């Protein structure tokens, strides 16, 4: 009995996987943490310290095992203007206050509200993040030595083609090492990481932010802190859901929300720039390296600090062109290109396109990801009112109270299972629908009966496509039956057109 409660990472095979995964992620975190520091306008050490404290803390208090939290571009974009206008002390104060906001929001159940963020808003959020990160790289490509251009091109080429050779070593790391060796060996004079500031040579020391503790300070930092809290929670909860889908496991989203707050408070007191979950690094940890426990997250932070403190002089020689190449590829991989493909736009309902475009426009205009998400959700409500009428809105609101349910019956011979879905399938319900099926243990023949359900939007079609894909990955067939006329029409129009981007 006692042995059954032993942590899974104590298994030699799992332990080896987790350790190697943590090392790979730590190596991959270095260029991004430095790049995000540049976006925020702080020394590279600040972003590296933040990545260390975020990863180590969230490994203990987070709700989603194996998810990587560190300094991120989303938080850097929000917090950068505060640092430039008021100074670093105010940035640290905002990070700590953002952590407090996240704990409060987590305790109030904000994780449950994520189901009411439509797919079109989430796509707009991701696309906006990619655009803003790219815009932040433009200054690094302007008014620089000519050698930066060929180095940037070479870095992009390695990032594109090296993964075709192998994935054991992250392509960003290969690109950075090769370009650094070339510039140092050839004595090429280009901007380097060392030009941005000194890297850490010792462990971080906790302390209070250097700001006056007055209501005026609170007035200045509170809006930025709230934006960091909202953006951090949205990106973290979306990443947690993605890992849930990949591993076919569930995680405690409320604990994750509170854990992100605790991690940001700890990071703030250690002088870090704050952060949240990282989709790209989490994919390296979970999908590429096969990690599944908290150990890999903890070791990613620990290895990162060792690499920086011990090998700081080497890291200082990295050319900025190498980091810009990495960030450009991050933008390219983050952007949902499928969402703007002509075929997708022709089939997508006008309301969904409107919401996505408005979300992107608001974020790019304000450089605030939280503003875009809030406006996007408001536009959803407006679209429903304009397209539907007040009466339809009332009827829909009543139906919202009864989210989808799934009951399952397996044939006596065990060759087929019928999942009967009951309720209204719209973005709020569809966000949870994918997790209601047992992909691993269900028979090879799966029937999804929608006779007691109604499909309202593209998010629901995307959820059904995801369910079919998960079964297909395990060699199982899915048949969707008994759709009503309206549901069949929207499903036939959009099925297979929405999930090709990521």
């Amino acid at each position: 009995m006692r042995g059954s409660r032993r942590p899974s990472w104590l298994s030699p095979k799992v332990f080896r996987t987790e350790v190697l995964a943590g090392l790979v992620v730590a190596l991959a975190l270095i260029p991004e943490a430095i790049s995000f520091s540049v976006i925020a306008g702080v020394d590279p050490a600040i972003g590296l310290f933040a990545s260390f404290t975020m990863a180590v803390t969230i490994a203990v208090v987070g709700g989603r095992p194996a998810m990587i939290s560190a300094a991120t571009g989303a938080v850097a974009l929000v917090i950068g203007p505060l640092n430039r206008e008021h100074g670093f002390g105010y940035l640290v104060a905002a990070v700590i206050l953002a952590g407090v906001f996240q704990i409060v929001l987590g305790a109030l159940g904000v994780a449950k509200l994520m189901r009411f963020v439509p797919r079109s808003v989430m796509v707009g959020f991701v696309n906006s993040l990619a655009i803003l990160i790219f815009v932040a790289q433009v200054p690094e490509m302007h008014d620089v030595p000519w050698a930066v251009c060929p180095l940037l091109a070479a870095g992009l080429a390695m990032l594109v083609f090296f993964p075709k050779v192998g994935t054991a070593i992250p392509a960003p790391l290969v690109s950075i090492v090769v370009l650094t060796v070339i510039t140092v060996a050839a004595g090429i004079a280009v901007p380097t990481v060392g030009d941005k500031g000194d890297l850490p040579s010792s462990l971080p020391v906790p302390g209070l932010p250097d700001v006056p503790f007055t209501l005026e300070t609170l007035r200045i930092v509170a809006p930025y802190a709230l934006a960091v809290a909202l953006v951090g929670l949205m990106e973290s909860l979306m990443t947690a859901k993605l890992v849930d889908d990949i591993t076919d496991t569930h995680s405690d989203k409320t604990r994750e929300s509170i854990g992100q707050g605790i991690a940001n408070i700890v990071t703030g007191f250690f002088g870090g720039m704050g952060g949240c979950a990282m989709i790209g690094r989490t994919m390296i940890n979970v999908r590429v390296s096969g990690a599944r426990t908290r150990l890999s997250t903890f070791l990613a932070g620990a290895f990162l600090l060792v690499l920086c403190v011990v090998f700081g002089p080497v890291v200082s020689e990295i050319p900025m062109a190498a980091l810009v190449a990495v960030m450009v590829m991050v933008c390219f991989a983050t952007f949902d290109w499928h969402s703007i493909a002509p075929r997708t736009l022709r089939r997508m309902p006008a309301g969904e396109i409107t919401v996505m475009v408005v979300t992107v426009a608001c974020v790019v205009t304000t450089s605030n990801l939280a503003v875009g998400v809030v406006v996007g959700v408001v536009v959803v409500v407006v679209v429903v009112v304009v397209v539907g009428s007040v009466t339809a809105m009332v009827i829909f609101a009543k139906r919202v109270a009864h989210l989808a349910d799934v009951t399952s019956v397996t044939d006596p011979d065990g060759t087929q299972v019928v999942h009967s879905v009951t309720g209204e399938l719209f973005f709020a319900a569809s966000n949870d629908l994918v997790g209601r099926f047992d992909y691993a243990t269900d028979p090879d023949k799966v029937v999804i009966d929608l006779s007691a359900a109604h499909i309202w939007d593209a998010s629901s079609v995307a959820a059904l496509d995801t369910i079919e894909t998960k079964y297909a990955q395990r060699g199982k067939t899915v048949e969707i039956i008994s759709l009503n006329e309206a549901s069949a029409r929207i499903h036939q129009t959009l099925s297979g057109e929405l999930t090709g981007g990521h």
Side-chain angles (χ1 to χ4, degrees), residues 112-403:
K112 296 179 181 179
L113 296 178
M114 283 299 294
R115 67 173 62 181
F116 292 99
V117 177
R119 177 185 176 277
S120 52
V121 175
M122 289 189 176
V123 172
F125 173 90
V126 170
N127 290 349
S128 303
L129 175 61
I131 293 171
L132 289 180
I133 293 177
F134 179 82
V135 170
Q137 307 311 305
V138 174
E140 299 297 331
M141 296 181 279
H142 176 68
D143 194 22
V144 292
W146 68 269
V148 169
C149 293
L151 287 173
L152 179 61
L156 290 172
M158 283 185 279
L159 290 168
V160 171
F161 294 110
F162 185 79
K164 301 180 186 301
V165 177
T167 58
I169 303 176
L173 181 64
V174 174
S175 175
I176 289 167
V177 170
V178 171
L179 293 184
T180 302
V181 170
I182 290 174
T183 55
V184 172
I188 302 174
V190 292
T192 66
V193 169
D195 296 331
K196 299 294 180 180
D198 296 331
L199 293 182
S201 58
S202 61
L203 298 176
V205 178
L208 295 175
D210 183 19
V211 294
F213 293 92
T214 62
L215 289 177
E216 177 62 16
T217 298
L218 181 63
R219 183 192 66 78
I220 293 172
V221 304
Y224 292 94
L226 182 59
V228 169
L230 293 175
V231 168
L233 284 181
M234 284 186 285
E235 187 162 351
S236 297
L237 294 175
M238 286 195 298
T239 304
K241 184 178 182 301
L242 180 61
V243 178
D244 288 353
D245 293 342
I246 291 173
T247 61
D248 290 332
T249 59
H250 297 286
S251 59
D252 188 337
K253 304 300 189 302
T254 297
R255 177 177 173 181
E256 183 62 40
S257 302
I258 296 173
Q260 289 290 332
I262 295 172
N264 271 306
I265 290 174
V266 171
T267 298
F269 280 120
F270 276 93
M273 57 180 276
C276 61
M278 302 184 74
I279 295 177
R281 299 310 98 183
T282 296
M283 291 303 98
I284 288 179
N285 196 46
V286 174
R287 178 169 280 169
V288 177
S289 302
R292 292 293 184 271
T293 76
R294 299 175 184 276
L295 180 63
S296 58
T297 305
F298 179 88
L299 290 178
F303 285 146
L304 174 65
L305 186 64
V306 171
L307 288 170
C308 292
V309 172
V310 177
F311 300 102
V314 177
V315 175
S316 295
E317 298 298 325
I318 296 174
M320 286 301 300
L323 301 184
V324 171
V326 171
M327 296 312 301
V328 169
M329 285 304 299
V330 168
C331 299
F332 185 86
T334 300
F335 196 92
D336 188 346
W337 297 101
H338 187 75
S339 67
I340 61 171
R343 182 174 179 179
T344 303
L345 295 176
R346 283 196 302 268
R347 293 173 177 265
M348 186 78 71
E352 300 263 346
I353 297 175
T354 300
V355 171
M356 182 178 68
V357 171
V358 169
T359 300
V360 172
C362 290
V363 172
V364 173
T365 301
T366 64
S367 297
N368 191 323
L369 292 158
V371 169
V373 172
V374 172
V375 172
V377 174
V378 171
V379 171
V380 170
V381 177
V382 173
V383 168
V384 170
V385 173
V386 172
V387 174
S389 82
V390 176
T391 302
M393 183 72 173
V394 173
I395 294 173
F396 183 74
K398 290 181 179 179
R399 290 179 173 177
V400 166
H402 305 286
L403 298 181

